[in-house]
Amino acid sequence: MNYYNIPGFLNDAELHKVWEIVGNALERQGYNVDNGELSIRVYDDELTEIVEHYDDYLGSLSEGKDLDNDYGDNVDALVNSMGVTKWKNGH
């Protein structure tokens, strides 16, 4: 079944808000989520493909590129190592 990959549709503030809610709920039950990663998918029987949207995500990876340090080069190297060549724009 195909799905929407929700984190790619959220801006940083929205993503942090959702992660805070989920993290608090898990920690109330005694789970340590310090090394956790948030993944949210909304499944839809009528979708004909997996829908991902990463414009804001890729933009946030480039934050700090204009600073006078190696941060931007390190981000570029990381993105290149992930094999990211083309991201689908939202539907």
Side-chain angles (χ1 to χ4, degrees):
M1 183 182 308
N2 291 310
Y3 58 86
Y4 297 94
N5 187 24
I6 299 303
F9 288 89
L10 303 175
N11 64 38
D12 285 343
E14 293 166 332
L15 189 59
H16 289 292
K17 187 182 293 185
V18 171
W19 178 236
E20 183 177 357
I21 292 167
V22 171
N24 287 341
L26 290 169
E27 288 176 357
R28 267 196 312 271
Q29 299 301 316
Y31 295 100
N32 180 345
V33 296
D34 290 343
N35 294 316
E37 180 178 324
L38 185 63
S39 175
I40 305 170
R41 294 178 176 175
V42 174
Y43 291 89
D44 186 338
D45 288 335
E46 296 181 12
L47 282 178
T48 59
E49 63 184 353
I50 294 172
V51 179
E52 297 180 325
H53 182 81
Y54 288 103
D55 286 343
D56 292 338
Y57 174 72
L58 290 178
S60 71
L61 289 178
S62 298
E63 288 176 6
K65 273 186 84 166
D66 56 344
L67 298 177
D68 190 20
N69 61 29
D70 293 332
Y71 178 80
D73 292 336
N74 291 337
V75 169
D76 288 340
L78 174 63
V79 171
N80 289 338
S81 73
M82 294 167 44
V84 176
T85 57
K86 180 179 177 185
W87 291 95
K88 178 178 292 219
N89 288 329
H91 292 300

